[in-house]
Amino acid sequence: MGYDTLFFNGSNDSHMIATALAEGRVILTRDTQIMKRRVVTGGQLIAILIMSDDPELQMHQVIDTLNLDCQLRAFTICLECNQPLVERSKQEVKDLVPPYVFQTQSQYMECPACHRIYWRGTHWQAMTRKLKKFIKG
Ligand SMILES: [Zn+2]
């Protein structure tokens, strides 16, 4: 969806909270203990307690609560680095993508940080279909 995100595995809540405060991030969590922290109850830090185990319902909750747009910035940043992707020509990526991809795809994007190449393949198609479900009517 093009929103800057970080994943924490839950082993160090203090580090996660400090990072969220320093970088102005919203915490999405299934951990009720985090919701009881003073920085959260005092309104210093926004945290959302994710209610469902179902990923689709989780998406709905986050999109509705934060009033996110699921189309506007979709596929614009790197999934690993959060860096805005840069367009690359077919020739520029010739030796960087599998031959089948090179033959079948014409549009490419590159992450300026990790140099991962993105194209509109089957993963992109599947994610686009999924995101369509979350467009507000
Ligand atoms: Zn990257």
Side-chain angles (χ1 to χ4, degrees), residues 56-102:
E56 218 161 281
L57 293 175
Q58 292 178 341
M59 283 279 288
H60 272 297
Q61 186 189 356
V62 173
I63 289 167
D64 289 346
T65 307
L66 297 174
N67 198 24
L68 302 181
D69 189 309
C70 28
Q71 281 202 303
L72 193 64
R73 294 183 285 179
F75 312 106
T76 56
I77 63 172
C78 180
L79 295 173
E80 301 295 330
C81 318
N82 290 313
Q83 291 294 311
L85 300 177
V86 179
E87 274 189 55
R88 288 287 175 249
S89 72
K90 201 172 157 106
Q91 282 311 312
E92 283 175 307
V93 303
K94 191 175 191 317
D95 300 323
L96 305 172
V97 299
Y100 174 76
V101 171
F102 185 76

Side-chain angles (χ1 to χ4, degrees), residues 78 80-81 111 113-116:
C78 180
E80 301 295 330
C81 318
C111 170
C114 71
H115 301 289
R116 182 172 169 175

